[in-house]
Amino acid sequence: MSMLRICRGIRNNVSSSLTFSRLIHSLQFATIKAEEISGSQPAEVHNLVHGKWMKSDNWNTIPDPLNGEPFIKVSEVDENGIKPFVESLSKCTKHGLHNPFKSPERYLLYGDVSAKAGYMFSLPEVSDFFAKLIQRVSPKSYQQALGEVYVTGKFLENFSGDQVRFLARSFGVPGNHLGQQSHGFRWPYGPVALITPFNFPLEIPVLQLMGALYMGNKPVLKVDSKVCIVMEQMLRLLHACGMPAEDVDFINSDGLTMNKLLLEANPRMTLFTGSSRIADKLAYDLNGRIKLEDAGFDWKILGPDVNEVDYVSWVCDQDAYACSGQKCSAQSLLFVHENWNQTSLMSHLSYLAGRRKLDNLTIGPVLTVTTEAMLEHKNNLLKIPGAKLLWGGEELENHSIPKVYGAIKPTAVFVPLEQILKAEHYELVTKEIFGPFQIVTEYKNSQIPMVLNALEKMHAHLTAAVVSNDPLFIQEIVGKTVNGTTYVGLRARTTGAPQNHWFGPAGDPRGAGIGTPEAIRLVWSCHREVIYDVGPVPRNWQIPPST
């Protein structure tokens, strides 16, 4: 290498370090200020393709979920504008941007990008920026929004340094004769797509996007337009931390346009997080080349051993109503053993639900279900014999939430277990309402088979909780259920998954996980076996008879 090239390399590294150093002390990556986004100062969201930010001629105006003002303008691509995205994705080969035999230095690159981005997230001004930006588009309490930022930052820290290349760890098995060995490798898909929902506008897309990049794929990313501004700013931060701009395309569009893009670009794998209905359509359209983290009607069982009523009540309230119930892991159905009737559980739950207020966003707008739809669901449930309203069931008071969104008080409806199991009621009771709404029922020891029957009939198996320290009871329930992320023990919950364990459904071969090395390998890579057979050929070998 010439001295000139060495000097240039040193200068580039120093320049990169100085740029990152300056970023540490400011938000130079950001193009907006979260607190200033308003109807009078609307923010703009652009698209990213071929490594360049671009606008389209079509603008989708997003209403402020708290007052209805048009506060974000999203540059959306229509069906006539997808060609650059199709071309960009098509440039990526099936063997990806890197793999164990090709450009392995990129594993180190992404370890470095993750280290820098993780450090950025540890800075109060950066974490506060993203927490407040999340609050603006998907209103939740500051603590809930900051928790999402914290998990994202810890994930980035987890995959810094050598941890990215460790994801691609291979194994070898001795062969049948001298010179033969088989090696198993984790291989990228190449061109991939990633579609994520509104409720976790930072955590879900970042964790899945980085997993795709770590394994050597080139993703096109689409985030729900209501919240896409969060990932636009995140991509700018990643660029500032050294991510090549050409590695990710970012598109804003409606569902029909994205569907056409998928059909024309033909990604080798698509990750979809969202509703079961759209998931099933995509699975059909894409001939099964898809991984899903779809809807979850999640259950919790309070076992016969009663302990720590205050704590259990608080966790139940958090699981059902934090983020206004807009979590795919939210507690949707609570089975309460009759022994809990001797306690203050229900009065505690009613009190905790009632103390949630709009002014601190511990209850807030529901972005996918209207007030009328949720109240109609409540009324339909109350027609079931023995059903009763436990708390809530009313529209929020003194609010300015636009009618396109929902605004109800935290709500619970009691439905007898026998009625839940009836064919004419089961689908209604287990209908997922993506809002602050739960079903409560009661059971006795003799009715545990009925509880298990109710769980067996469900079609979505995401999270679950068995609140009990009785090992035999836990064994009975866990052994006869299938939910992919199941918490057991006195402190069991359904929500609040950190970055250090698998989160995802089970019981479906299309199921996707998130967060852990196992999840990344499962979703974003496939197995490739390479068999080395170099000889030598035995001395005096002769051609054998045909077989």
Side-chain angles (χ1 to χ4, degrees), residues 264-276:
E264 292 194 15
N266 195 29
R268 304 298 297 170
M269 208 287 290
T270 295
L271 182 282
F272 175 77
T273 304
S275 77
S276 296

Side-chain angles (χ1 to χ4, degrees), residues 288-366:
R289 293 192 307 275
I290 193 167
K291 288 287 185 181
L292 304 174
E293 191 215 304
D294 57 356
F297 189 85
D298 306 298
W299 50 267
K300 177 184 288 181
I301 298 175
L302 304 188
D305 49 324
V306 177
N307 283 293
E308 301 290 351
V309 175
D310 286 359
Y311 181 83
V312 171
S313 302
W314 173 74
V315 175
C316 285
D317 176 75
Q318 287 291 106
D319 282 348
Y321 303 128
C323 300
S324 301
Q326 296 173 102
K327 296 184 178 183
C328 51
S329 55
Q331 174 183 301
S332 302
L333 177 53
L334 178 64
F335 295 90
V336 182
H337 191 276
E338 64 175 347
N339 290 352
W340 291 82
N341 288 337
Q342 316 299 322
T343 72
S344 56
L345 174 75
M346 287 300 164
S347 61
H348 276 29
L349 289 176
S350 179
Y351 163 74
L352 291 170
R355 72 176 184 169
R356 292 182 171 274
K357 304 297 180 185
L358 182 60
D359 57 9
N360 62 6
L361 293 178
T362 51
I363 193 69
V366 178

Side-chain angles (χ1 to χ4, degrees), residues 63-374:
D64 188 324
L66 292 175
N67 58 31
E69 290 183 353
F71 80 139
I72 297 176
K73 295 167 61 181
V74 179
S75 176
E76 290 201 346
V77 176
D78 62 19
E79 294 187 13
N80 296 320
I82 64 173
K83 184 178 179 182
F85 295 89
V86 174
E87 291 175 346
S88 179
L89 211 59
S90 299
K91 285 183 178 180
C92 180
T93 58
K94 294 178 184 177
H95 50 262
L97 299 178
H98 62 266
N99 61 53
F101 287 73
K102 171 190 173 183
S103 303
E105 65 276 6
R106 283 176 51 88
Y107 293 115
L108 306 183
L109 166 70
Y110 272 99
D112 190 43
V113 170
S114 292
K116 290 179 179 178
Y119 180 76
M120 291 288 283
F121 269 68
S122 73
L123 301 175
E125 59 267 35
V126 175
S127 59
D128 182 69
F129 167 77
F130 278 107
K132 288 177 177 175
L133 188 57
I134 290 168
Q135 280 192 295
R136 291 297 288 123
V137 294
S138 183
K140 57 185 81 172
S141 70
Y142 185 79
Q143 290 76 14
Q144 287 286 318
L146 192 61
E148 181 178 346
V149 176
Y150 175 83
V151 167
T152 304
K154 286 299 177 184
F155 170 87
L156 292 165
E157 290 177 9
N158 284 348
F159 292 98
S160 60
D162 287 325
Q163 297 307 311
V164 174
R165 69 165 144 201
F166 288 162
L167 288 170
R169 188 190 302 270
S170 61
F171 63 85
V173 178
N176 293 335
H177 50 255
L178 183 62
Q180 185 186 74
Q181 289 182 336
S182 61
H183 289 261
F185 295 95
R186 298 312 301 179
W187 215 255
Y189 291 103
V192 298
L194 173 57
I195 304 171
T196 63
F198 74 92
N199 55 332
F200 285 88
L202 182 72
E203 180 182 340
I204 294 177
V206 170
L207 269 58
Q208 293 290 15
L209 177 70
M210 298 308 290
L213 291 165
Y214 294 156
M215 299 312 296
N217 302 287
K218 176 185 172 67
V220 57
L221 170 65
K222 175 184 163 23
V223 180
D224 189 309
S225 291
K226 292 188 290 290
V227 299
C228 60
I229 193 170
V230 178
M231 272 310 292
E232 190 219 42
Q233 296 299 300
M234 182 64 201
L235 286 170
R236 295 179 187 275
L237 180 149
L238 290 171
H239 291 161
C241 291
M243 183 183 82
E246 300 83 4
D247 279 10
V248 178
D249 293 332
F250 178 64
I251 186 171
N252 302 298
S253 71
D254 61 22
L256 291 175
T257 299
M258 188 63 191
N259 194 258
K260 183 176 181 181
L261 171 60
L262 294 175
L263 293 177
E264 292 194 15
N266 195 29
R268 304 298 297 170
M269 208 287 290
T270 295
L271 182 282
F272 175 77
T273 304
S275 77
S276 296
R277 180 181 59 82
I278 297 175
D280 288 339
K281 180 186 185 307
L282 286 174
Y284 179 83
D285 289 347
L286 301 176
N287 297 313
R289 293 192 307 275
I290 193 167
K291 288 287 185 181
L292 304 174
E293 191 215 304
D294 57 356
F297 189 85
D298 306 298
W299 50 267
K300 177 184 288 181
I301 298 175
L302 304 188
D305 49 324
V306 177
N307 283 293
E308 301 290 351
V309 175
D310 286 359
Y311 181 83
V312 171
S313 302
W314 173 74
V315 175
C316 285
D317 176 75
Q318 287 291 106
D319 282 348
Y321 303 128
C323 300
S324 301
Q326 296 173 102
K327 296 184 178 183
C328 51
S329 55
Q331 174 183 301
S332 302
L333 177 53
L334 178 64
F335 295 90
V336 182
H337 191 276
E338 64 175 347
N339 290 352
W340 291 82
N341 288 337
Q342 316 299 322
T343 72
S344 56
L345 174 75
M346 287 300 164
S347 61
H348 276 29
L349 289 176
S350 179
Y351 163 74
L352 291 170
R355 72 176 184 169
R356 292 182 171 274
K357 304 297 180 185
L358 182 60
D359 57 9
N360 62 6
L361 293 178
T362 51
I363 193 69
V366 178
L367 302 190
T368 57
V369 191
T370 64
T371 302
E372 291 74 14
M374 288 186 283

